[in-house]
């Protein structure tokens, strides 16, 4: 089955060898051509909801073209926004309009993740996300842009700030990966992936922000996040995106997988965190599921210029749970002297 490629590359039928290679590369990120089509339709439908607020832009990197949604006054202070694993730029729906009043926003689709960027995942183990983010900053010709990331996106910002401190202005670190030892229980995710009733709608009912928030929370969950989680679980090849080669033997995949799991669950050394000198605001939820937020807050003290906020009533998806609380705090921090 041919990949429905017209929305990204051309309206004509694929014919060249280069296009066929690109098609094969994109298919590695998804479980089928139908899976790719479903996730692109979700992206397009939600992009349309922004109307004239955002425009699409690409920048070249050593990992291929990076797509981003751009908003805000061209002469306003720049703010780069990074989602976590299996996320994309459209999931900043609680922030784009508010933040575009004050900043020039660049909401990135990470390469090798869902969205419109090149299907080439940087190596997590070789710290290549730093190289990709460095290419983005230099390609956009930005001078010390502010940066905001969720989970693994925050970790990429920390690493860039350690290796290239002159490239990062202020940083907003939302539940950053590796701040403390991870305690995320993957059994629910594995169970959901193995259930026979894996239609998107049924998964959406199970995979909601309540996977990240307290089960006693009776609030209406964020439907766009819930749908994105369901689609990624059903259709996105996360193992390939995390650097596990699908052509490897079963034992090679196991070794690769264990290395990746160890990396994601192990906390960074305090001596490493101490090298991140950018002024930063660390935000976690009271019911953070990635790690114990109190322990993470104590370890964040190793970051020289960090302020830490634990948001009551929020979980790992704090920017989705409490945007009315978090957005003004972030804007005030970025605007402060």
């Amino acid at each position: 089955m041919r990949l429905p490629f017209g929305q990204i590359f051309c309206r004509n039928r694929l014919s060249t060898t280069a296009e066929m290679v690109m098609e094969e590369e994109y298919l590695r990120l998804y479980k089928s051509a139908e899976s790719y089509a479903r996730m692109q339709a979700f992206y397009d439908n939600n992009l349309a909801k922004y109307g004239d607020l955002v425009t699409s832009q690409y920048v070249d990197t050593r990992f291929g073209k990076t797509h981003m949604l751009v908003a805000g006054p061209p002469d306003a202070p720049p703010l780069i926004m990074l989602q976590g694993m299996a996320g994309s730029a459209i999931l900043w729906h609680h922030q784009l309009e508010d933040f575009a009043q004050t900043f020039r926003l660049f909401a990135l689709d990470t390469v090798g993740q869902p969205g419109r960027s090149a299907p080439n995942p940087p190596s997590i183990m070789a710290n290549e996300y730093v190289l990709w983010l460095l290419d983005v900053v230099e390609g956009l010709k930005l001078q010390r842009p502010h940066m905001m990331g969720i989970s693994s996106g925050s970790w990429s910002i920390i690493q860039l700030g350690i290796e290239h401190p002159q490239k990062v202005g202020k940083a907003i670190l939302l539940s950053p990966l590796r701040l403390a030892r991870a305690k995320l229980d993957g059994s629910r995710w594995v169970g959901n992936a193995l259930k026979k009733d894996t239609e998107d709608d049924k998964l959406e009912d199970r995979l909601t922000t309540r996977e990240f928030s307290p089960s006693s929370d009776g609030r209406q969950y964020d439907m766009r996040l819930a749908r994105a989680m369901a689609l990624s679980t059903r259709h996105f090849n996360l193992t390939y995106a995390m650097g596990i080669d699908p052509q490897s033997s079963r034992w090679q995949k196991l070794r690769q997988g264990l290395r990746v799991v160890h990396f994601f669950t192990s906390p960074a050394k305090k001596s490493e965190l101490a090298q991140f000198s950018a002024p930063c605001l660390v935000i976690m939820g009271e019911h953070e599921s990635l790690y114990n937020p109190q322990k993470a807050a104590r370890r964040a003290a190793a970051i020289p210029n960090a302020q830490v906020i634990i948001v009551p009533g929020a979980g790992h998806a704090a920017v989705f749970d409490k945007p009315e609380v978090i957005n003004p705090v972030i804007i005030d921090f970025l605007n402060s002297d």
Side-chain angles (χ1 to χ4, degrees), residues 94-321:
H94 291 302
Q95 284 73 43
L96 283 173
E97 185 172 1
D98 283 355
F99 287 32
Q101 307 296 319
T102 311
F103 304 101
R104 181 66 167 174
L105 306 180
F106 301 91
L108 308 184
D109 284 333
T110 303
V111 289
Q113 299 294 327
R116 293 182 170 179
S117 293
N120 306 315
S123 169
I124 296 170
M125 307 308 299
N127 205 25
E128 289 183 346
Y129 280 91
V130 171
L131 301 177
W132 164 71
L133 191 51
L134 179 65
D135 287 350
V136 170
V137 174
E138 294 184 342
L140 292 172
K141 298 180 170 55
L142 299 178
Q143 301 297 319
R144 296 181 72 88
H146 301 319
M147 296 190 179
M148 178 166 65
I150 299 177
S151 195
S152 59
S154 286
W155 178 246
S156 296
I157 293 170
I158 291 173
Q159 289 297 98
L160 179 68
I162 290 173
E163 296 190 18
H164 303 277
Q166 75 281 6
K167 298 297 183 181
V168 182
K170 292 183 179 180
I172 307 298
L173 307 176
L174 303 163
S175 299
L177 188 72
R178 307 197 72 206
L179 188 56
R181 184 170 299 280
K183 65 180 181 67
L184 182 63
D185 179 8
S187 61
R188 291 176 299 174
W189 295 92
V190 173
N192 280 316
L194 294 178
K195 286 182 182 292
K196 293 181 178 180
D197 60 331
T198 51
E199 292 88 348
D200 296 341
D201 291 340
K202 292 181 179 179
L203 268 175
E204 182 177 330
D205 289 338
R206 291 197 299 269
L207 295 177
T208 69
T209 55
R210 298 181 192 194
E211 293 285 343
F212 294 108
S213 300
S215 59
S216 60
D217 188 354
R219 296 177 304 101
Q220 178 67 34
Y221 53 80
D222 188 291
M223 293 299 294
R224 197 178 307 190
L225 176 61
R227 187 66 172 181
M229 291 166 65
L231 289 171
S232 293
T233 301
R234 171 72 167 145
H235 301 292
F236 184 62
N237 190 354
L238 183 60
T239 56
Y240 176 72
M242 295 173 70
I244 300 174
D245 186 354
Q247 305 302 320
S248 299
S249 69
R250 182 177 66 175
W251 294 112
Q252 287 175 324
K253 289 178 183 177
L254 177 61
R255 286 195 296 269
Q256 292 168 359
L258 289 174
R259 289 183 65 210
V260 170
V261 169
H262 177 74
F263 175 84
F264 274 103
T265 57
S266 299
K269 295 180 180 178
K270 289 185 179 181
S271 59
E272 186 174 12
L273 295 175
Q275 297 176 55
F276 184 71
S277 60
C280 67
L281 182 62
V282 180
I283 300 177
M284 298 171 286
E286 174 190 12
H287 303 283
E288 176 65 56
S289 62
L290 184 62
Y291 38 56
N292 181 296
Q294 284 75 33
K295 289 183 179 179
R298 288 194 292 270
R299 298 192 84 252
I303 302 174
N305 296 307
Q307 300 178 34
V308 181
I309 296 176
I310 298 177
V311 183
H316 186 61
V319 288
F320 297 94
D321 291 343

